[in-house]
Amino acid sequence: MASIRAGFSIPGASSTGVEPVRTDFTPEQLADPDTAQSEKVLRTCTHCGFCTATCPTYVLLGDELDSPRGRIYLIKDMLATGKVIADTVKHIDRCLSCLACMTTCPSGVHYMHLVDHARRWIERNYRRPWAERVLRRLLGTVLSRPRLFRLALRCAAAVKPLKRYLPEQLAALFALTPNSIPAASPMDRLQLFTAKGDRQMRVALLPGCAQRVLAPEINEATIRLLTRHGCEVVVAKGSGCCGALTHHLGQEPAALNLARANIDAWERERLASGLDAVVINASGCGTTVKDYGFMLREDPAYAEKAARIAALARDVTEVVQALHLGPTSGLITARNRRVAYHSACSMQHGQGIHAGPKRLLATAGFEPVDVPEGHLCCGSAGTYNILQPEIAAALRDRKLANIVATQPDLVATGNIGCITQLAAGSPVPIVHTVELLDWATGGPEPKALRSGHRERRRKYAESRSDSERAAKPINVGSIQPIPPASNRSPAAPSST
């Protein structure tokens, strides 16, 4: 055994054993469906350690308890003893839920369901400091309500000049506040968008929450692209936030209520006029909607409906692939052709979507290139960049340095969180994949390419030497991290 903390050890931490994790839950504990499910996940783990090679926090911090293997043992101990201590909470909170470990794991450990259970357990059984409680409740309440979020952003913009005087977490919150807040889009209203030409499909679009406030042009581009390719799109009455933000904060009642509202809205549409798919254009939301069946498996009124909706859920790129991309407009030139494709964690690890978006970009006339260390998170992870600003900033800088190393004209990704996280520090525009596909097939030029593009290009030319940062260790706090490339495990993929 390798001792990690006084009184705490992880079997196999310095070996490559294949013995499954041992559990000792009582029959009374296993009567709880969540605990019974978590025990199955725990017993799947063989503590082989492959997951450490692709875990962003372990790569940065080098602490076994900040790896999936370490967290698995912390969670097992917490659930078995019923005791929640501050050190356990710290390491669970540091998990990004990027799910890179699930892509890497040879044993098929469903870490997502395990860490989600741990977050719920902590929320119910651990009393955080009051400032943390207030901030987490504020985030869960405000971000999931577009009108309230828009109002909050306007207030935050007024306070933003004073952010250097604020505590670290609040300063991180205000640093992410845009200088201007887009007006609400008329296309986000509850309505039906008819297909151009013969109708090929009928889909419901998840309107979302934070994305429709921060970047309403993404939903607009999605609707134009789908209707142009013969898809009828409905924004259903009662649909809205998917519940992912509150779900990952451990605020499960609120998350499940949001999920139920969406399920009811889409079931009404399915029964009234039929639905071929539920389209999601934020991959973080897509991972959650595709998991509705599991999340509501114990709810007799919703289990069947939730499983049905989860089976209909599709990322927008999956739907466009099924429709086949139409003729391109010929607007792609040498100045905007080379696209660094940043595969969001929720896209590649959460949904298992890898080549499809890049294939669509290539068909549209772009030249997609992989980002080095593409399996590592950019540090957004929902509210993570607010709650864990130091680690999030280190991951963002590492990701941007790797992006610059590819010398792209622009960056494409399929998640609003990644766009927000990377855009402020990026020397090149960060654009949603669907905006590029819409532009290439007859839509308007993406907003990010129109505003400040020349200034970004100038800064980009000046900063190309910064790509060397991708090969240097990043100091987070007082912990010396593992160098990113030179001693990476063979288990770590070189790119997405």
Side-chain angles (χ1 to χ4, degrees):
M1 291 187 179
S3 180
I4 305 301
R5 291 284 187 272
F8 190 88
S9 61
I10 299 176
S14 58
S15 68
T16 55
V18 292
E19 182 182 353
V21 170
R22 296 178 181 178
T23 60
D24 52 1
F25 295 105
T26 66
E28 291 77 15
Q29 288 174 318
L30 293 175
D32 171 55
D34 283 343
T35 302
Q37 179 64 34
S38 288
E39 191 209 27
K40 293 178 183 177
V41 177
L42 289 166
R43 285 183 171 273
T44 307
C45 177
T46 61
H47 46 74
C48 67
F50 274 50
C51 56
T52 61
T54 56
C55 174
T57 50
Y58 182 74
V59 168
L60 277 183
L61 306 176
D63 187 337
E64 179 73 27
L65 293 183
D66 283 315
S67 75
R69 179 170 63 181
R71 293 187 181 107
I72 282 172
Y73 275 87
L74 288 172
I75 293 169
K76 178 177 81 77
D77 186 64
M78 179 180 71
L79 296 178
T81 64
K83 297 177 181 177
V84 190
I85 61 174
D87 200 51
T88 296
V89 174
K90 178 183 73 173
H91 294 293
I92 300 302
D93 283 352
R94 281 181 176 177
C95 175
L96 294 122
S97 284
C98 70
L99 309 181
C101 55
M102 288 179 58
T103 298
T104 308
C105 179
S107 302
V109 176
H110 206 303
Y111 179 81
M112 179 176 80
H113 290 160
L114 182 66
V115 78
D116 285 346
H117 182 201
R119 296 189 199 281
R120 295 194 298 274
W121 182 273
I122 291 169
E123 184 70 11
R124 288 196 300 262
N125 298 287
Y126 179 75
R127 188 167 179 81
R128 296 176 182 274
W130 73 269
E132 279 189 35
R133 295 199 305 273
V134 170
L135 178 59
R136 294 171 72 90
R137 186 60 57 185
L138 185 68
L139 291 173
T141 301
V142 172
L143 295 180
S144 60
R145 293 168 170 81
R147 289 183 181 176
L148 187 56
F149 183 37
R150 184 174 283 109
L151 176 62
L153 285 177
R154 286 175 179 153
C155 295
V159 180
K160 190 175 181 179
L162 304 176
K163 67 178 185 294
R164 66 180 180 274
Y165 302 112
L166 298 172
E168 183 183 31
Q169 288 184 326
L170 287 179
L173 176 62
F174 284 102
L176 292 168
T177 303
N179 294 324
S180 61
I181 316 301
S185 171
M187 296 177 83
D188 278 335
R189 297 171 189 160
L190 309 177
Q191 57 190 300
L192 179 70
F193 299 90
T194 58
K196 309 297 182 185
D198 294 334
R199 193 181 86 176
Q200 305 296 319
M201 296 177 69
R202 186 176 192 271
V203 305
L205 175 66
L206 173 73
C209 51
Q211 177 176 275
R212 64 200 268 194
V213 176
L214 295 170
E217 62 270 15
I218 295 174
N219 279 357
E220 294 171 352
T222 299
I223 292 168
R224 287 193 302 266
L225 179 66
L226 291 177
T227 54
R228 188 182 302 125
H229 287 80
C231 199
E232 183 174 277
V233 181
V234 60
V235 180
K237 181 179 180 180
S239 60
C241 175
C242 70
L245 290 170
T246 47
H247 180 61
H248 294 306
L249 287 167
Q251 299 168 9
E252 197 65 1
L256 294 183
N257 284 337
L258 291 167
R260 291 185 185 103
N262 284 327
I263 291 166
D264 287 340
W266 295 329
E267 275 289 278
R268 285 193 296 268
E269 285 294 335
R270 186 187 68 84
L271 293 171
S273 304
L275 281 180
D276 296 300
V278 173
V279 174
I280 301 105
N281 55 17
S283 60
C285 303
T287 300
T288 296
V289 176
K290 289 182 178 182
D291 204 44
Y292 274 0
F294 180 84
M295 291 167 61
L296 288 161
R297 69 195 184 284
E298 298 297 327
D299 186 333
Y302 278 86
E304 185 178 347
K305 294 188 289 185
R308 187 160 48 239
I309 292 300
L312 286 173
R314 297 288 185 275
D315 183 74
V316 62
T317 58
E318 294 180 287
V319 173
V320 175
Q321 277 191 287
L323 292 168
H324 302 295
L325 200 65
T328 57
S329 60
L331 294 174
I332 314 306
T333 67
R335 290 183 64 254
N336 51 39
R337 179 175 291 120
R338 187 172 175 83
V339 177
Y341 177 68
H342 166 62
S343 185
C345 297
S346 46
M347 185 77 81
Q348 58 174 313
H349 305 308
Q351 300 185 54
I353 298 173
H354 298 278
K358 292 183 287 187
R359 193 177 297 122
L360 286 170
L361 288 169
T363 302
F366 297 98
E367 180 190 330
V369 294
D370 287 329
V371 176
E373 294 187 323
H375 59 286
L376 289 181
C377 185
C378 70
S380 171
T383 57
Y384 191 93
N385 50 4
I386 298 169
L387 298 173
Q388 300 286 335
E390 189 179 15
I391 297 174
L395 289 170
R396 178 201 62 210
D397 292 346
R398 186 178 184 128
K399 179 64 69 175
L400 287 171
N402 277 314
I403 286 172
V404 168
T406 68
Q407 301 187 12
D409 299 312
L410 50 105
V411 179
T413 188
N415 192 51
I416 182 61
C418 302
I419 293 172
T420 305
Q421 172 77 343
L422 297 174
S426 176
V428 293
I430 313 288
V431 186
H432 196 290
T433 305
V434 79
E435 292 182 273
L436 294 180
L437 298 178
D438 173 49
W439 180 37
T441 57
E445 185 179 20
K447 179 181 176 181
L449 300 187
R450 299 194 301 268
S451 58
H453 184 50
R454 291 182 180 177
E455 178 64 13
R456 284 197 184 96
R457 292 293 300 174
R458 183 188 64 77
K459 291 181 179 179
Y460 176 41
E462 294 174 355
S463 66
R464 286 197 171 181
S465 61
D466 290 347
S467 63
E468 295 173 4
R469 285 183 296 166
K472 296 180 181 178
I474 298 174
N475 288 306
V476 179
S478 60
I479 303 172
Q480 178 66 27
I482 297 172
S486 60
N487 64 348
R488 184 174 57 215
S489 165
S494 59
S495 62
T496 304

